[in-house]
Amino acid sequence: MASVLVRRLALAALAVIVFVCAWAAGTPAAQAHPMPHSVVTLDVHEESVDATMELPFDDLRLATGLSIDEDSVLGSERAALEDYILQHVAPTTDDGQAWTAIVTGMSTSDAEQTSTGVYQELIVQLTMTPPPGGSTRSFVFDDDVIIHQVITHKILVVVGEDWSAGAVDGDAQEVGVIAVDTATGEIAPLQVDLGEGSPWSGFAAMVHLGGTHILEGTDHLLFLLVLLLPAPLLAIGGRWRRPAGVRRSSIRIVSITLAFTVGHSVSLAVSALTHLDVPAAPIESLIAVSILVSAAHAIRPLFPGREAVVAGVFGLVHGMAFSFTLAELGLSSTQLVVSLLGFNIGIELMQLAVVLAVLPALMLLSPWRGYAVVRVGVAVVAGVCAVGWLLARLGAPNPLAALADGLSGYGGWAVLALWVLVVGVVTARAVRRSRPHAGDPVTPELVDPSESAAVSGGIR
């Protein structure tokens, strides 16, 4: 009898286990997702700290009791939300003196964190200013938004931009986490200590940012390189004809590069130091136009001998585009001057490196008949990219623009292919000269600069 009872209990337990497992397997995966946490990103300046708070809608509703949705955030509930935020965010100096905090912006967005799925969040921008004598590099950040009511919630605090520490590329660095202490039920404020920082760190970061900006800014380099394509050639009768020679080509290349440098340096300095507010859309469109003009000139001479002037004029436009990067950093006057110098040095160093990598190859290829194919082919690709960018920047998205944006990832391969071509052409010339008789194999046609009469026809 006892054995029968045990067997029945075992079967009942097994049935319960099977039911629980089946129920768990049928439960939607979304119910297993952890709840999203808040994220506060601090952008540190000399005299203030800007905070961007990302607050999940669901937990914010629980904490405030407000019926928050996209419309109410920008309408009836906005004032109540601002009051709530300012009541629960209280930065202070290390010795307890209160900072001033004001809400400068509010919006909504869709977001997704690890394993949470997509959810809606409120984006709040704050500007927090310490009292006289207070430091933006060491302070106490007291924030209990949401977690004063939703004890399972957490606030991740990160630093986005910190010029004095060399953080200008937007890569966030975690400072700490604010959460409810489960043992005591208390919420301890976060001590933020960013160290001393230095102008040298900011300067070095701006040099790196300038180099990265020009290297990843495909349109800027493309304009200069396409304008330099015909630099080793002479324009005769409305066509690019014979090689110009090393001395003349070098002078033209240096003058074009220098004019572009002066042009964008002047406009970058003026735009940044005067805080000139220039709309980005027309500037970016003009950059696409500059590439289109230089591409057409590389195919047929439009302004032979005046390339430096064109490079300088369009350089002014490119410089204003460079200034947008500095404007986004919110730097003080002193930091701006140092940043302007470092950023421009980074641009020039990277620009010089690219020119030195490409121009010798173009000069070596210029006596070769096949250089016309290289020149026209590169110019056509640049022109197509320019058209795609121009349409996109005028409000007409297109696949050409997306394709052109991805070209920066292949720049190194393009330079390598160019030099492989140079090696092939130079080797073919050496073979031809070493065996100058009728039985030699056919090699690429090469033209010596002195043989100008032999290259009077065709696309040159």
Side-chain angles (χ1 to χ4, degrees), residues 220-229 231 251-267 286-287 289-291 293-294 297 303-320 322 348 351 355:
H220 300 295
L221 279 179
L222 199 57
F223 164 72
L224 180 61
L225 292 178
V226 175
L227 192 59
L228 289 170
L229 275 175
I251 293 174
R252 291 172 66 182
I253 289 168
V254 170
S255 63
I256 291 170
T257 306
L258 184 60
F260 182 67
T261 296
V262 171
H264 73 65
S265 297
V266 168
S267 60
L286 282 173
I287 288 175
V289 170
S290 73
I291 299 170
V293 170
S294 64
H297 179 66
F303 37 84
R306 297 188 295 276
E307 290 89 351
V309 175
V310 174
V313 171
F314 279 123
L316 295 171
V317 178
H318 285 252
M320 283 187 276
F322 293 150
E348 304 317 323
Q351 179 179 287
V355 170

Side-chain angles (χ1 to χ4, degrees), residues 387-428:
V387 170
W389 278 323
L390 182 59
L391 292 174
R393 293 166 186 181
L394 291 175
N398 61 90
L400 289 179
L403 183 64
D405 288 335
L407 286 180
S408 61
Y410 299 94
W413 291 105
V415 173
L416 178 61
L418 183 64
W419 278 102
V420 168
L421 179 61
V422 169
V423 171
V425 170
V426 170
T427 302

Side-chain angles (χ1 to χ4, degrees), residues 40-43 49-53 104 124-128 141:
V40 178
T41 303
L42 304 176
D43 292 332
V49 175
D50 291 333
T52 300
M53 309 179 72
T104 57
V124 179
Q125 281 87 33
L126 290 173
T127 294
M128 306 183 299
F141 186 61

